[in-house]
């Protein structure tokens, strides 16, 4: 059982905005939170302790993103491939959203954060879905930071499901293939309604995208750090955002 702790939000109010203000803050930051297992192993601890500390980093990062003025924060919490892990670890990961929300949901409501979930509900344990749905329902009228959990999410599955849906519409005579546009595909993706990520962060030194937002990342800026996810904090987020703000995005054109 995960030890229940009091909300971190109040305790971490001390998180300060960067000394220099950043002009060009990305609207949507998406994070591949990697390295929980190695963080634990480095200290001779079981992997699940890494995930538990990863949950604390989720909290810190949410507060920091909010303070920086980021509008959308997407966190890759569980992929469609993560089911291959040992059952104990999967069970633990499936309890984390529930634990996190049991501690934090009141504060998230109060802080005007809107919680969303992007992924297949099918296959998730009912307790996980119930916790996520309650959080989505209780925060749906909030118009502050959007905290989007990618849970049981896989981009190839997302694209495949989108194709199936459009295929069914074509078969029913409700859609002309010529009328399919990138914007239409966008709306049919699980991320429908969110802008594409401006900045994608991956922790732990791995430099791959692991089936994450493949359609949506066409023009995302990437930022990698060797830091393991449980050690991630506002300083790394500021560093990533500051570097983003210095880059020039050309979208295939010229400046
Ligand atoms: C990858 O690290 C991390 C995951 C598969 C799980 C990520 C989950 C969290 C950070 C907690 C989520 C919290 C909430 C509130 C949903 P890894 O285990 O693959 O690390 P390793 O590569 O070092 O083994």
């Amino acid at each position: 059982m995960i030890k229940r702790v009091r909300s971190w939000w109040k305790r971490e109010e001390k998180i300060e905005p960067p000394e220099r203000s950043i002009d060009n803050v990305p609207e949507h930051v998406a994070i591949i939170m990697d390295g929980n297992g190695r963080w634990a192993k480095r200290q001779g601890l079981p992997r699940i302790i890494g995930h538990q500390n990863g949950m604390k980093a989720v909290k810190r990062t949410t507060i920091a993103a909010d303070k920086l003025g980021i509008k959308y924060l997407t966190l890759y919490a569980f992929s469609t491939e993560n089911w291959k892990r040992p059952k104990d670890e999967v069970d633990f990961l499936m309890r984390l959203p529930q634990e996190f929300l049991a501690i934090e949901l009141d504060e998230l409501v109060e802080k005007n954060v809107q919680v969303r979930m992007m992924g297949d509900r099918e296959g998730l344990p009912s307790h996980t879905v119930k916790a996520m749905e309650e959080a989505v329902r209780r925060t749906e009228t909030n118009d502050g930071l959007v905290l989007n959990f990618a849970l049981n999410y896989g981009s190839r599955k997302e694209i495949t499901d989108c194709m199936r849906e459009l295929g069914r519409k074509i078969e029913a005579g409700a859609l002309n293939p010529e009328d399919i546009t990138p914007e239409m595909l966008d709306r049919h993706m699980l991320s429908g309604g969110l802008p594409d990520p401006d900045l994608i962060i991956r922790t732990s030194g791995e430099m791959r995208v692991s089936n994450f937002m493949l359609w949506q990342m066409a023009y995302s800026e990437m930022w990698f750090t060797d830091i393991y996810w449980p050690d991630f904090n506002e300083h790394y987020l500021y560093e990533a955002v500051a570097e983003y703000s210095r880059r020039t995005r050309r979208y295939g054109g010229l400046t």
Side-chain angles (χ1 to χ4, degrees), residues 124-155:
L124 287 172
S126 55
H127 61 84
T128 313
V129 176
K130 202 168 149 227
M132 287 305 308
E133 282 180 348
E134 190 200 339
V136 169
R137 185 181 51 74
R138 281 190 58 197
T139 62
E140 69 191 346
T141 56
N142 285 356
D143 58 6
L145 174 74
V146 172
L147 176 58
N148 181 36
F149 287 104
L151 195 60
N152 198 17
Y153 173 84
S155 197

Side-chain angles (χ1 to χ4, degrees), residues 1-2 48 55 88 90-100 125 127-128:
M1 217 16 221
I2 303 165
I48 57 167
M55 186 170 79
D88 283 358
V90 169
D91 289 348
F92 190 87
L93 284 169
M94 287 297 139
R95 282 199 304 271
L96 280 187
Q98 199 176 343
E99 287 293 330
F100 176 80
H127 61 84
T128 313

Side-chain angles (χ1 to χ4, degrees), residues 33-39 47 51 54-55 58 76-77 82 85 89 93 96-97 100 149 229:
M33 308 181 289
D34 195 12
N36 293 352
R38 277 165 286 164
W39 181 91
R47 291 178 56 80
H51 296 314
M55 186 170 79
V58 166
Y76 203 6
N82 286 150
R85 296 184 177 213
E89 183 172 339
L93 284 169
L96 280 187
F100 176 80
F149 287 104
W229 175 251

Side-chain angles (χ1 to χ4, degrees), residues 2-253:
I2 303 165
K3 203 170 145 239
R4 188 145 300 180
V5 292
R6 158 177 104 72
S7 169
W8 296 293
W9 199 291
K10 291 207 168 70
R11 241 194 297 150
E12 300 206 11
E13 285 287 353
K14 66 179 182 301
I15 291 178
E16 294 293 343
E19 279 165 27
R20 278 179 308 107
S21 69
I22 298 175
D23 291 337
N24 180 24
V25 172
E27 189 180 24
H28 185 175
V29 175
I31 308 185
I32 303 175
M33 308 181 289
D34 195 12
N36 293 352
R38 277 165 286 164
W39 181 91
K41 191 174 171 202
R42 193 174 61 186
Q43 298 169 75
L45 296 168
R47 291 178 56 80
I48 57 167
I49 304 298
H51 296 314
Q52 195 172 1
N53 281 277
M55 186 170 79
K56 296 182 187 173
V58 166
K59 183 69 200 189
R60 282 197 296 275
T61 306
T62 305
I63 298 170
D66 195 23
K67 294 200 168 175
L68 264 171
I70 290 164
K71 299 273 188 333
Y72 304 88
L73 178 66
T74 294
L75 300 176
Y76 203 6
F78 193 88
S79 78
T80 45
E81 287 70 38
N82 286 150
W83 296 105
K84 294 177 201 157
R85 296 184 177 213
K87 186 176 180 306
D88 283 358
E89 183 172 339
V90 169
D91 289 348
F92 190 87
L93 284 169
M94 287 297 139
R95 282 199 304 271
L96 280 187
Q98 199 176 343
E99 287 293 330
F100 176 80
L101 293 166
I103 299 163
E104 301 299 344
L105 185 54
D106 287 346
E107 296 272 353
L108 292 168
V109 172
E110 196 185 304
K111 293 281 179 182
N112 199 25
V113 173
Q114 185 187 107
V115 177
R116 293 203 197 181
M117 186 198 137
M118 175 175 87
D120 273 343
R121 279 162 173 74
E122 236 171 79
L124 287 172
S126 55
H127 61 84
T128 313
V129 176
K130 202 168 149 227
M132 287 305 308
E133 282 180 348
E134 190 200 339
V136 169
R137 185 181 51 74
R138 281 190 58 197
T139 62
E140 69 191 346
T141 56
N142 285 356
D143 58 6
L145 174 74
V146 172
L147 176 58
N148 181 36
F149 287 104
L151 195 60
N152 198 17
Y153 173 84
S155 197
R156 286 186 166 181
K157 170 91 170 38
E158 171 187 46
I159 294 169
T160 308
D161 286 348
C162 169
M163 293 303 137
R164 284 196 181 132
E165 200 184 327
L166 295 184
R168 277 192 291 270
K169 285 187 183 169
I170 292 169
E171 197 177 42
L175 177 67
N176 179 350
E178 303 309 316
D179 293 337
I180 296 176
T181 59
E183 292 72 28
M184 183 185 284
L185 290 186
D186 261 342
R187 287 195 299 276
H188 283 78
M189 295 290 164
L190 292 167
S191 58
L194 302 187
D196 289 344
D198 299 293
L199 174 65
I200 296 184
I201 295 174
R202 182 170 190 146
T203 57
S204 94
E206 307 293 354
M207 299 213 185
R208 49 179 175 259
V209 293
S210 301
N211 203 14
F212 184 57
M213 303 191 89
L214 302 180
W215 167 264
Q216 299 87 342
M217 67 157 57
Y219 282 101
S220 301
E221 295 293 321
M222 312 288 296
W223 190 82
F224 298 100
T225 172
D226 287 341
I227 292 296
Y228 293 148
W229 175 251
D231 287 333
F232 194 82
N233 60 29
E234 63 279 14
H235 303 294
Y236 298 107
L237 185 67
Y238 296 156
E239 201 182 315
V241 168
E243 184 179 320
Y244 169 88
S245 74
R246 291 190 293 269
R247 293 188 191 172
T248 306
R249 300 178 77 185
R250 290 191 294 275
Y251 301 93

